[in-house]
Amino acid sequence: KMPLPSIDPPPEEEAEEKTDAAEEKADKAALHDLEIQYLTPSEEQVEEWEEKKVARVERVEIRKANQTERIEARRVEAVERLRQNLLGAVRLNRERRKQRGVVKSHQNWLAALTMVAGSNTYDQAMSIDLNDEEQWPEDIPIIEEIPPEPPAPLEEGEEAPPEE
């Protein structure tokens, strides 16, 4: 059996996520250092931090999309396996259930039909005049089987074959 596709992120994505977290932490630490010194960051620093923040958000979105794709691929594979393994059995079960339902719904009239046929046969048999040999049913031929030939007598020193 092949395992289902993994939903865990590949090592590259995990490393990228750790790098983004470390980068974000470094940017916050740099801003905090400037705030402690009562300094304001330069416009270049602010633009750089914003660019990094936008890039991180884009990478997070890409990772989320990749995770969604992995989950969808796993679902598709699971559904395909269910289709292959269970669909035939489900169809057969439904067919048999329908057949049993048909038989169950027709039992009453089948029983009535059998009863009518049996009573008709009984009426015919009772209406036969036993003194009139022409109305008697035909004799069923008796087939006699030819018995097998008896085994030949054994000579001295010869063993009897095993019986079957």
Side-chain angles (χ1 to χ4, degrees), residues 62-75:
I62 290 171
R63 285 195 295 268
K64 283 182 183 178
N66 290 343
Q67 179 70 16
T68 305
E69 288 175 13
R70 285 191 296 272
I71 290 172
E72 190 60 30
R74 186 178 177 107
R75 282 183 185 154

Side-chain angles (χ1 to χ4, degrees), residues 27-65:
D27 289 347
K28 284 184 180 179
L31 178 63
H32 185 67
D33 285 346
L34 289 176
E35 286 176 353
I36 288 175
Q37 298 173 18
Y38 297 103
L39 298 174
T40 57
S42 66
E43 290 184 17
E44 294 86 25
Q45 279 183 321
V46 171
E47 286 178 14
E48 179 185 342
W49 290 341
E50 286 300 318
E51 288 173 6
K52 287 181 180 179
K53 185 176 181 181
V54 168
R56 282 194 303 265
V57 168
E58 288 173 358
R59 288 193 295 266
V60 166
E61 291 299 320
I62 290 171
R63 285 195 295 268
K64 283 182 183 178

